[in-house]
Amino acid sequence: MIEHLMFIDGKDVPAESGAFLTISNPATARPIATVPDGVRVDVDKAVAAARMAFVSGPWPRMSRTDRARVLLKAADALEAASESLFTLETQNNGRPITETRAQLSRVPEWFRYNAALLAAQRDAVLPSDGPYLTYQKRAPLGVCGIITPFNHPALILARSLSAALATGNTVVVKPSELTPLTTLAIARIVTEAGVPEGVINVVTGGREAGIGLSEHADVAKVTLTGGTEAGRSAAVATASRFARITAELGGKTPVIVFGDYDPVAAAEGAAFAAFVASGQSCVAGARFLVQRERYAEFVEALVARANAIKIGDPAKPETQIGPMISDAQRRKVLDYISIGEEEGARLAAGGNVPELPDDLRDGYFVQPTVFADATNSMRVAQEEIFGPVAVVVPFDTEAEAIEMANDNRFGLGAAVWTHDLARGHRVAAAIESGMVWVNDHHRLEPSLPWGGIKESGAGKDAGTESFDDFTWIKTIIVRIADSDVDWYGSDTPGRLN
């Protein structure tokens, strides 16, 4: 058990109340750490530190070259600490070490990418009639709040934090109360790399701290990754003061498999979509829409793959799937499995708690589960389960597949498996989602905008879109004529808008 403190103004700080939360390893249910249970008063303290660093500190006033240099140094420091971060994240959220190593090894890329955008940034010169030079300048927003989830805490933090810092903002982070450990570690690493004290602040705690950050009058932008209802509340709070929000929320990703694609290869490739992170991902491929002519073969292959996935200790390199984040999440997933059976879907694989060694018996594991012979209207095909549950639905025509894919309140991601190039482009264009993969799933780069439509959120993380959205634009109009302006004394007044 390690006692951690919040990170505010470059210092380790307890909660004002002195209260702590216990952090457990979901693979064993054993406590591994405590963190302060911060509430609104702690958020106020962190925002005040970030505001002071923005108003009078050096960070927003640094030259772009100097700020980019610090971010590159931070990327190197994160890379050097990567092994300890892999281990810490696996202990904290239960993802297999192979997954955390693959994901967290990319964290430095986001800092390098946004440092490069900063170094290459150009201000626009705009066309203007008459004797005027018109140009734009970008300025940082101020204090930005970043609210991160339990499933990808380090990567999602890096995605927003690197862009916010590159553009000269200061930050208050509220990580999930279940997985704050890598966030605290990253904040300290980046600060030690040269980001001034007060620029990055971390408040640990639960719902009250998150609401306090979303509603705070001095927070100019909120970036939130989480559930749809949390995003809706944050959107209302920010709209009331005209602050910005980027919200990446829930999903029920359709994976369309056409008959021209080898069903065994499609099942083996797309199984990653359903079961990576134990299905605890907003873009999890939870809804497989498979053309009827190859449907039976696909189901057989997906069931075989699901049954072969190695469940176990996430710290071991041979483990392929770990636990749910909590007992509450496991109960939710098991409840949905019961709902699927009651609705008439055929339980083709999994559906229960696996038999495991004694040291893992108290962990929050669920078998990789496959429902076959489902319909698109079933709750298990429409609602976000956030667990290792794949639902397979047959279709006949391309038009039917598109209609079924779009018949959902979410619109985060989608995938299309086909060897017909024209069909791949055509269907990808017709699907209502922020991202579509063809013959793959969940691939991302720092340059690729990430975000959805409908109830999957608003705005984009990553890419130039995210970088730009951490700034506001000022348009400057300079009269360059060699004569003075005399509107009322002129016989030929100029043009008004």
Side-chain angles (χ1 to χ4, degrees):
M1 284 279 286
I2 300 173
E3 182 180 295
H4 296 268
L5 296 177
M6 295 185 292
F7 188 68
I8 298 176
D9 204 16
K11 303 175 184 64
D12 292 331
V13 178
E16 192 72 26
S17 67
F20 280 85
L21 296 170
T22 299
I23 307 301
S24 297
N25 181 339
T28 63
R30 297 185 192 121
I32 56 173
T34 61
V35 297
D37 187 7
V39 292
R40 285 179 184 261
V41 66
D42 302 294
V43 171
D44 292 343
K45 187 184 300 183
V47 172
R51 181 67 183 163
M52 182 64 69
F54 182 77
V55 170
S56 59
W59 186 248
R61 293 156 191 83
M62 275 188 187
S63 70
R64 292 189 300 185
T65 300
D66 287 343
R67 202 155 64 231
R69 187 180 292 116
V70 172
L71 292 177
L72 293 173
K73 186 178 177 184
D76 292 343
L78 289 165
E79 198 162 65
S82 58
E83 283 297 328
S84 63
L85 291 173
F86 303 155
T87 302
L88 187 60
E89 187 133 309
T90 288
Q91 289 175 340
N92 198 174
N93 76 354
R95 291 188 66 173
I97 191 70
T98 52
E99 288 187 16
T100 55
R101 178 173 282 111
Q103 190 175 78
L104 270 68
S105 65
R106 305 201 65 188
V107 163
E109 290 181 36
W110 261 261
F111 285 84
R112 292 177 180 132
Y113 173 77
N114 281 291
L117 286 183
L118 175 62
Q121 186 183 33
R122 288 183 173 184
D123 294 320
V125 176
L126 307 178
S128 184
D129 290 340
Y132 298 97
L133 171 65
T134 304
Y135 61 96
Q136 292 181 327
K137 299 289 289 183
R138 287 189 175 271
L141 299 174
V143 180
C144 296
I146 301 175
I147 301 174
T148 58
F150 68 77
N151 53 348
H152 314 295
L155 185 68
I156 288 175
L157 171 65
R159 202 165 62 189
S160 296
L161 178 63
S162 58
L165 294 179
T167 46
N169 298 281
T170 60
V171 173
V172 177
V173 184
K174 209 298 285 184
S176 166
E177 63 271 31
L178 301 172
T179 56
L181 302 185
T182 48
T183 297
L184 288 165
I186 288 170
R188 293 184 173 96
I189 290 168
V190 174
T191 299
E192 289 168 5
V195 173
E197 294 179 355
V199 172
I200 306 173
N201 306 274
V202 180
V203 176
T204 55
R207 185 170 180 270
E208 184 179 345
I211 293 172
L213 187 57
S214 296
E215 294 181 347
H216 202 289
D218 287 336
V219 173
K221 175 176 176 172
V222 171
T223 300
L224 179 147
T225 303
T228 297
E229 292 312 310
R232 200 187 311 276
S233 297
V236 171
T238 51
S240 68
R241 64 180 188 277
F242 303 105
R244 295 188 188 180
I245 186 167
T246 296
E248 194 246 278
L249 309 176
K252 192 69 176 180
T253 297
V255 178
I256 301 175
V257 181
F258 284 98
D260 64 88
Y261 206 98
D262 177 3
V264 176
E268 291 176 348
F272 168 81
F275 303 126
V276 68
S278 299
Q280 298 172 116
S281 176
C282 297
V283 291
R287 211 167 31 123
F288 290 90
L289 310 176
V290 183
Q291 200 151 28
R292 199 177 300 275
E293 64 198 66
R294 309 303 292 271
Y295 177 81
E297 296 168 87
F298 179 89
V299 170
E300 182 181 359
L302 184 62
V303 166
R305 175 61 75 194
N307 288 334
I309 292 174
K310 296 173 183 173
I311 311 170
D313 183 353
K316 294 182 177 179
E318 64 269 21
T319 296
Q320 295 175 313
I321 193 168
M324 301 286 89
I325 189 62
S326 65
D327 185 50
Q329 185 62 26
R330 177 172 65 174
R331 289 198 306 271
K332 176 188 172 185
V333 172
L334 293 174
D335 285 347
Y336 266 109
I337 291 171
S338 296
I339 289 168
E341 292 182 288
E342 291 166 4
E343 289 182 305
R346 174 168 63 89
L347 186 62
N352 216 324
V353 175
E355 288 290 331
L356 291 169
D358 288 346
D359 60 331
L360 301 177
R361 195 155 290 168
D362 293 330
Y364 311 126
F365 293 86
V366 175
Q367 293 172 325
T369 298
V370 177
F371 275 115
D373 306 337
T375 66
N376 198 52
S377 61
M378 289 180 177
R379 286 183 62 188
V380 289
Q382 286 291 316
E383 299 175 13
E384 186 176 42
I385 298 173
F386 228 62
V389 180
V391 179
V392 193
V393 181
F395 72 87
D396 292 302
T397 67
E398 178 182 313
E400 183 185 12
I402 293 168
E403 181 181 2
M404 291 167 67
N406 292 338
D407 182 20
N408 191 265
R409 65 191 180 98
F410 297 112
L412 184 57
V416 181
W417 292 75
T418 180
H419 286 308
D420 184 332
L421 182 62
R423 172 189 277 161
H425 286 292
R426 188 170 61 242
V427 175
I431 293 175
E432 297 168 353
S433 70
M435 301 164 289
V436 183
W437 295 274
V438 178
N439 300 336
D440 211 328
H441 201 93
H442 205 164
R443 302 300 172 180
L444 71 162
E445 301 289 339
S447 59
L448 304 182
W450 182 279
I453 61 172
K454 301 195 280 191
E455 293 196 23
S456 288
K460 296 290 186 181
D461 272 324
T464 57
E465 289 82 355
S466 174
F467 182 90
D468 289 344
D469 201 51
F470 278 101
T471 65
W472 59 275
I473 296 175
K474 178 187 296 184
T475 302
I476 301 171
I477 306 99
V478 181
R479 181 178 169 86
I480 56 175
D482 60 0
S483 60
D484 295 328
V485 176
D486 184 5
W487 176 272
Y488 291 106
S490 172
D491 294 330
T492 55
R495 187 173 58 185
L496 286 177
N497 292 329

